[in-house]
């Protein structure tokens, strides 16, 4: 017998594993024979053992257990054809079939199916009474309603169809997947192995016309006289019924055919099959929606993990620098974002303050943000007092890592707490705003030193500028999530409004300035959806009477990252 595990849900969905070893380990470890890269899967999760040409399965003490047909297994369990094996988010269908299964195609553009265990009946035509047919239909309906795992249910449905239609020699279900038809279940009555094939001519007509097709003798049916495949496969009588969604979009088909000359399906048979197909269509559509929801749930879990990872790249606390007060805030537009800020203590005792904005949003921007976080720290520590050289090195590293036109704007302030000199560098970002003691606001890192964003041109030169921060003066760094926050009237908050608010904030601590600015942005947005990531950093040189450093407080992370 040939034994396989086919993943029908989970990270390996669609993949089929041939079970050809005496012992097969399933788990997250690379040494396993079937590797599932899922944190919910244990390193060695389960084991399959071949005994007397049959496989048993046992759980290896995994955290989230192993299930067969929705039941948690304890000890060893012998697997039979059609069993469903559940490991974390992955669902497998176990199949056993004879080893000599052939595949072949012809010039009629056939889709090839693989045969499964055949079921034999007597050559004589069996009569099934109305009560038996009704009982079989009820069994099919119950089977379709019990689970959303299609392969096993459709296989049971075909078993039921063989009871209802004893004339049928072959039955199959094909589902639409994009522009392809994918075989999902197949049965035939032969007591020897043969390839199970179908005519695309018949199937395509049923799908295109959304009509059930009945042919008492397909070989001489004038509707299909050009289909060589019908003659090749010796299809005599056949029924092909489309599976349709609630919007009447084709989901696939059910086809039954007979090869014996004296076997002919009737109109009543076609009506009965159409009724079964209507029930099956509902189950197929629900199962497909269920699969989409599972994928969405998995993506959400992964995004939650990515969110936690990104949060760890942001500063946990603000710096403790004598005579200075620092505050930082970050709020992604989605689960993760591309804005970035950091505080880096340099070997010479100076304090670097950075704020950047990666082009785009979401996961690609977040990945570049993570790269920038590491690159900036290394370059700043390595370059010593040469800030321009540090920016040049950062740019070259971002150029090397950037793909698809991604770039990063970055502004950098290096604070010398002894001389109170601030050295600035700007790679395509908005200048920090300096609120002076007299209430005026300056932007000393505008066009005079603004260079290209990082990641565009290798070895691009960058300039620096220096200014002195007097006691009581403050500095604000922000991303365009602040300046471009939109109101219900689609008016932007603007850089000018940032400066206007800053002029009014004399004598406030860094956190008070930042929080007041955020409150004004929220008033402006008036509940409108946040379209871009928001980063905001404020630092202040304390007034002369407050010379002790403020104890480093926790950096603020917005609701998008809590």
């Amino acid at each position: 017998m040939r034994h396989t595990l086919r993943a029908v849900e989970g990270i390996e969905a669609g993949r089929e594993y041939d079970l050809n070893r005496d012992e097969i380990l399933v788990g997250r470890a690379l040494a396993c024979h079937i590797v599932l890269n899922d944190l919910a899967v244990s390193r060695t999760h389960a084991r399959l053992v071949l005994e007397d040409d049959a496989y048993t399965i046992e759980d290896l003490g995994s955290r989230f257990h192993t299930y067969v047909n929705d039941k948690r297994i304890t000890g060893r369990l012998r697997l039979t054809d059609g069993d469903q094996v559940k490991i974390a988010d992955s669902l497998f269908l176990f199949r056993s079939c004879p080893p000599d299964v052939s595949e072949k195609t012809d010039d009629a553009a056939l889709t090839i199916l693989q045969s499964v265990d055949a079921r034999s009946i007597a050559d004589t035509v069996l009569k099934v009474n109305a009560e038996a047919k009704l009982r079989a239909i009820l069994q099919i309906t119950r089977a379709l309603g019990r689970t959303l795992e299609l392969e096993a249910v459709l296989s049971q449905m075909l078993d039921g169809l063989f009871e209802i239609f004893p004339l049928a020699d072959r039955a199959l279900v094909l589902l639409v997947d994009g522009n392809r038809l994918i075989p999902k279940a197949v049965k035939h009555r032969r007591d020897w192995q043969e390839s199970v094939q179908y005519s695309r001519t018949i199937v395509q007509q049923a799908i295109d016309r959304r009509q059930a097709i009945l042919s008492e003798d397909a070989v001489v049916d004038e509707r299909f006289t050009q289909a060589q495949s019908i003659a090749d496969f010796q299809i005599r009588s056949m029924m092909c019924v489309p599976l349709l969604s609630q919007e009447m979009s084709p989901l696939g088909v059910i086809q039954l055919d007979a090869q014996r000359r004296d076997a002919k399906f009737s109109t009543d048979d076609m009506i009965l099959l159409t009724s079964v197909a209507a029930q099956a269509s509902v189950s197929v559509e629900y199962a497909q929606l269920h699969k989409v929801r599972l994928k969405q749930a998995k993506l959400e879990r992964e995004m939650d993990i990515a969110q936690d990872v990104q949060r760890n790249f942001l500063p946990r606390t603000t710096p403790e620098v004598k005579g200075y007060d620092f505050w930082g805030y970050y709020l992604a537009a989605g689960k993760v974002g591309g804005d970035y800020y950091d505080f880096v203590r340099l070997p010479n005792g100076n304090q670097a303050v950075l704020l950047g904005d990666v082009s785009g949003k979401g996961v690609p921007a977040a990945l570049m943000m993570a790269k920038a976080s590491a690159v900036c720290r290394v370059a700043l520590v390595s370059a010593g007092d040469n800030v321009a050289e540090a920016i040049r090195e950062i740019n070259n590293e971002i150029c090397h890592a950037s793909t698809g036109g991604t770039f990063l704007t970055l502004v950098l302030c290096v604070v010398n707490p002894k001389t109170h000199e601030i050295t600035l560098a700007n790679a395509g970002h908005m200048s920090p705003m300096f609120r002076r003691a007299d209430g005026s606001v300056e932007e000393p890192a505008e066009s005079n030193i603004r260079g290209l964003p990082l990641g565009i041109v290798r070895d691009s030169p960058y300039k620096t500028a220096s200014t002195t921060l007097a006691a009581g003066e403050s500095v604000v760094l922000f991303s365009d999530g602040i300046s471009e926050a939109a109101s219900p009237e689609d008016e932007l908050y603007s850089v000018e409004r940032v400066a206007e608010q800053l002029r009014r904030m004399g004598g406030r601590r860094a956190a008070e300035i930042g929080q007041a600015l955020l409150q004004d942005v929220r008033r402006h947005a008036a509940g409108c959806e946040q379209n871009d990531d928001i980063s905001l950093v404020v630092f202040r040189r304390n007034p002369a009477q407050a010379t002790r450093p403020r104890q480093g407080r926790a950096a603020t992370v917005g609701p998008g990252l809590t």
Side-chain angles (χ1 to χ4, degrees), residues 126-420:
L126 301 179
K127 300 296 183 180
V128 178
N129 59 37
E131 182 182 351
K133 287 186 177 182
L134 179 59
R135 184 169 57 250
I137 291 174
L138 291 175
Q139 290 174 352
I140 292 173
T141 302
R142 284 197 295 268
L144 289 172
R146 275 198 300 264
T147 179
L148 293 172
E149 313 303 346
L150 272 181
E151 274 78 0
V153 171
L154 294 179
S155 180
Q156 294 173 20
M157 181 187 71
L158 295 189
D159 286 339
L161 290 177
F162 271 21
E163 293 183 22
I164 298 173
F165 304 108
L167 297 178
D169 292 308
R170 298 181 295 200
L172 63 112
V173 178
L174 298 156
L175 296 185
V176 174
D177 182 8
N179 295 323
R180 301 182 303 161
L181 284 168
I182 304 299
K184 289 296 184 180
V186 60
K187 296 282 183 184
H188 61 80
R189 297 188 192 272
R190 299 294 185 183
D191 57 358
W192 65 85
Q193 290 76 48
E194 68 172 15
S195 296
V196 180
Q197 301 168 315
Y198 70 91
S199 169
R200 179 172 288 276
T201 302
I202 296 174
V203 169
Q204 201 61 50
Q205 183 167 322
I207 288 176
D208 291 342
R209 298 184 180 182
R210 294 166 172 76
Q211 293 179 345
I213 295 175
L214 166 67
S215 179
E216 291 187 349
D217 194 338
V219 174
V220 298
D221 195 323
E222 62 182 10
R223 292 174 294 176
F224 313 119
T225 54
Q226 301 301 316
Q228 183 63 36
S229 57
I230 293 175
D232 290 346
F233 303 155
Q234 299 178 343
I235 298 173
R236 288 294 176 177
S237 187
M238 70 86 199
M239 296 184 292
C240 188
V241 177
L243 299 167
L244 301 175
S245 71
Q246 296 182 36
E247 291 76 25
M248 303 306 290
S249 299
L251 302 171
V253 296
I254 301 174
Q255 179 171 305
L256 272 67
D257 65 62
Q259 296 173 289
R260 298 188 300 278
R261 290 180 179 274
D262 59 344
K264 292 184 179 182
F265 295 117
S266 67
T267 302
D268 289 343
D269 290 333
M270 184 180 69
I271 294 172
L272 191 57
L273 182 59
T274 302
S275 176
V276 173
Q279 294 290 328
S281 295
V282 175
S283 292
V284 168
E285 191 168 16
Y286 283 166
Q288 291 174 341
L289 292 173
H290 177 65
K291 185 172 291 187
V292 169
R293 291 188 64 182
L294 287 177
K295 288 181 179 180
Q296 290 175 340
K298 183 174 184 292
L299 179 60
E300 288 177 3
R301 289 196 298 272
E302 291 174 347
M303 291 301 293
D304 287 339
I305 295 172
Q307 187 181 75
D308 291 338
V309 171
Q310 184 175 48
R311 180 169 56 191
N312 289 332
F313 279 106
L314 296 171
R316 294 179 180 273
T317 61
T318 56
E320 294 184 30
V321 178
K322 184 177 180 180
Y324 284 83
D325 182 20
F326 295 84
W327 180 86
Y329 177 88
Y330 178 83
L331 176 61
K335 286 278 189 177
V336 294
D339 276 13
Y340 157 70
Y341 80 88
D342 203 357
F343 304 113
V344 181
R345 182 62 62 88
L346 304 181
N348 59 11
N350 291 346
Q351 179 67 54
V353 181
L354 307 91
L355 188 143
D357 185 358
V358 178
S359 60
K361 294 184 285 293
V363 174
L367 292 173
M368 182 58 75
M369 174 269 202
K371 175 71 174 180
S373 174
V375 167
C376 288
R377 282 184 166 269
V378 172
L380 286 169
V381 171
S382 302
D385 295 331
N386 194 338
V387 175
E389 176 62 19
I391 295 293
R392 191 186 72 83
E393 288 296 327
I394 294 170
N395 173 61
N396 288 344
E397 288 292 331
I398 298 298
C399 282
H400 178 74
S402 178
T403 59
T406 303
F407 60 86
L408 166 69
T409 65
L410 181 74
V411 66
L412 167 66
C413 298
V414 178
V415 181
N416 186 325
K418 295 180 180 179
T419 65
H420 309 296

